[in-house]
Amino acid sequence: MAREESAPDVLVVGGGVIGLAVAWRAAQRGLAVTVLDPAPGGGAVQVAAGMLAPVTELQYNEEPLLRLGMASNERYAAFAAELTELTGLDTGYRATGTLAVALDADDREELRELHAFHGRLGLASEWLTGRECRKLEPMLAPGVRGGLHVAEDHQVDGRRLARALLAAGAAAGVRLHRAEAAELLVTGGRATGVRLADGSTLTAGQLVLAAGCRSHLLAGLPAGVLPPVRPVKGQVLRLRIPPAYAPFLSRNLRAVVRGQHIYLVPRADGELVIGATSEEQGFDTTVTAGGVYELLRDAHELVPGLTELPLVETGAGLRPGSPDNAPLLGPTALPGLTAATGHYRNGVLLTPVTADLIAEQLATGRTPELALPFSPARFSSPEAAR
Ligand code: GLY
């Protein structure tokens, strides 16, 4: 199919932080890039706490994801500094470290096992007694039984990050098309563009599918290419730490309370983010009384003094879950279509490395080695289909 004169080299379908960062990095490599999204900079990042925690969020049997997360974490400081230098906008990147604490003997045993696992993998984490934890964070509950200090698990403010990526993309020549993709266009066995809801079409040399938990909804995706993503709801609270209470917390805090993960992320501007529920509710983003109650109840067990703080916002976002909790990165079985989706709990963390890997593939046609374990093909092979 002949492309219209203004057809870009790359059309990124989805303008969350993943799509925006891929577009920015691809434009820096000299490609003409358009991002298609009705509300660029929106999506799950507007709710996310922005914890950059590959070590404290480590799950057993997810070592390839750990390596990808570590690679992204290592890039974050430079990534954030580059964005700020180019745009004058602060991303809220903060090298705070993270403290994961245990509230009872069972939690302590679990954290001890995680600490041993870290040791086997050569990851830096330090075991602290309850007293040592409270010395670092005096607002912690007196009953805290011990914890793990991970000095390299930091944080970024997802909303600020999205604004900086929009500005950096604009400066690099990325064009935004504010509309929803209705259908993928396939010509001669190759992805060539999309049809929009109003019937118009956009064509491009290559397409990137970066539509988060909506990536599988694009009509026209061939069966073997349909990404197996699903929405996983997370409810999140935002409190404000008045200056008189500062420093209320100095680093990210995590715990497992009654089997539920809870985390508190204190930002430099006084925001305290508490997350998150994990619910399989389809595309529902209702904030429920039960969700808010459980988050506050568990956070209060960890830091009793937080009930004094103003509660300024409640929200719910949709993580793009994948069957193995890892993203789909790289070429799909359909020539011309690359996936950058399914980042589940790690979208903000994995933004820098995803952008670098996908931009390299778009510019050179080669898939970088770090991306190979995350090939979308792992879900379309005969083994995956069984
Ligand atoms: N990464 C934290 C969450 O998804 O809740």
Side-chain angles (χ1 to χ4, degrees), residues 94 137-139 240-250 266-271 309:
R94 207 179 163 206
E137 293 295 350
M139 296 306 287
R240 188 167 49 76
I241 302 169
Y245 285 61
F248 189 80
L249 293 174
S250 303
R267 301 219 195 282
D269 63 7
E271 185 174 77
L309 303 177

Side-chain angles (χ1 to χ4, degrees), residues 48-51 57 234 236 254 263 275-278 319 344-347:
M51 232 180 338
E57 284 212 338
V236 172
R254 300 183 60 92
Y263 46 82
T277 64
S278 197
R319 309 172 181 91
Y344 188 37
R345 304 182 73 95
N346 297 299

Side-chain angles (χ1 to χ4, degrees), residues 3-384:
R3 283 162 43 202
E4 62 262 41
E5 219 170 280
S6 62
D9 299 314
V10 178
L11 178 65
V12 181
V13 180
V17 281
I18 295 291
L20 291 176
V22 166
W24 172 48
R25 287 299 196 210
Q28 284 182 317
R29 284 174 170 262
L31 297 169
V33 186
T34 296
V35 173
L36 177 63
D37 194 304
V45 75
Q46 291 297 325
V47 176
M51 232 180 338
L52 308 174
V55 177
T56 38
E57 284 212 338
L58 175 64
Q59 304 291 314
Y60 299 100
N61 301 322
E62 290 186 357
E63 283 95 328
L65 185 55
L66 168 74
R67 277 191 291 281
L68 191 69
M70 298 281 284
S72 207
N73 209 20
E74 281 159 17
R75 291 168 203 220
Y76 236 105
F79 178 78
E82 185 180 347
L83 282 170
T84 299
E85 196 180 317
L86 289 172
T87 66
L89 297 172
D90 179 21
T91 62
Y93 175 76
R94 207 179 163 206
T96 54
T98 296
L99 184 62
V101 299
L103 287 165
D104 61 29
D106 287 347
D107 292 351
R108 188 169 58 181
E109 207 40 51
E110 260 186 50
L111 268 187
R112 282 261 187 221
E113 276 173 31
L114 185 61
H115 186 222
F117 188 45
H118 288 162
R120 290 197 294 279
L121 296 175
L123 302 172
S125 77
E126 183 191 7
W127 182 261
L128 301 181
T129 63
R131 188 189 294 262
E132 287 167 332
C133 290
R134 281 188 298 281
K135 204 165 164 205
L136 282 184
E137 293 295 350
M139 296 306 287
L140 273 174
V144 163
R145 306 285 291 267
L148 270 183
H149 183 227
V150 177
E152 297 302 325
D153 277 4
H154 301 315
Q155 60 166 282
V156 71
D157 184 333
R159 293 174 179 177
R160 291 177 188 268
L161 176 67
R163 283 199 287 274
L165 284 169
L166 279 168
V174 173
R175 293 167 67 177
L176 298 180
H177 195 105
R178 293 172 191 270
E180 185 105 46
E183 186 184 357
L184 182 73
L185 300 174
V186 179
T187 313
R190 182 179 174 88
T192 51
V194 291
R195 191 184 315 285
L196 308 181
D198 66 3
S200 63
T201 60
L202 287 179
T203 59
Q206 306 185 63
L207 281 87
V208 178
L209 184 57
C213 69
R214 302 183 65 79
S215 295
H216 60 305
L217 299 181
L218 183 64
L221 282 167
V225 173
L226 209 61
V229 295
R230 67 185 197 286
V232 182
K233 176 178 173 181
Q235 299 190 50
V236 172
L237 312 177
R238 283 174 157 79
L239 280 57
R240 188 167 49 76
I241 302 169
Y245 285 61
F248 189 80
L249 293 174
S250 303
R251 53 186 56 68
N252 304 329
L253 274 189
R254 300 183 60 92
V256 179
V257 184
R258 281 176 285 270
Q260 302 295 324
H261 288 268
I262 180 117
Y263 46 82
L264 281 67
V265 178
R267 301 219 195 282
D269 63 7
E271 185 174 77
L272 177 64
V273 187
I274 302 178
T277 64
S278 197
E279 306 166 61
E280 302 277 353
Q281 302 274 3
F283 284 93
D284 169 51
T285 51
T286 312
V287 175
T288 63
V292 174
Y293 165 71
E294 283 171 22
L295 288 171
L296 283 177
R297 179 195 63 195
D298 296 350
H300 173 257
E301 262 185 56
L302 206 56
V303 179
L306 62 72
T307 48
E308 302 294 320
L309 303 177
L311 171 62
V312 293
E313 191 183 322
T314 61
L318 299 172
R319 309 172 181 91
S322 81
D324 59 5
N325 301 335
L328 286 75
L329 303 177
T332 68
L334 180 66
L337 182 68
T338 290
T341 188
H343 290 73
Y344 188 37
R345 304 182 73 95
N346 297 299
V348 178
L349 168 65
L350 296 177
T351 293
V353 78
T354 298
D356 290 346
L357 297 176
I358 299 296
E360 184 174 341
Q361 186 222 298
L362 293 169
T364 66
R366 288 187 301 276
T367 307
E369 206 171 313
L370 189 56
L372 293 176
F374 306 98
S375 166
R378 71 191 190 278
F379 297 121
S380 43
S381 64
E383 297 82 50

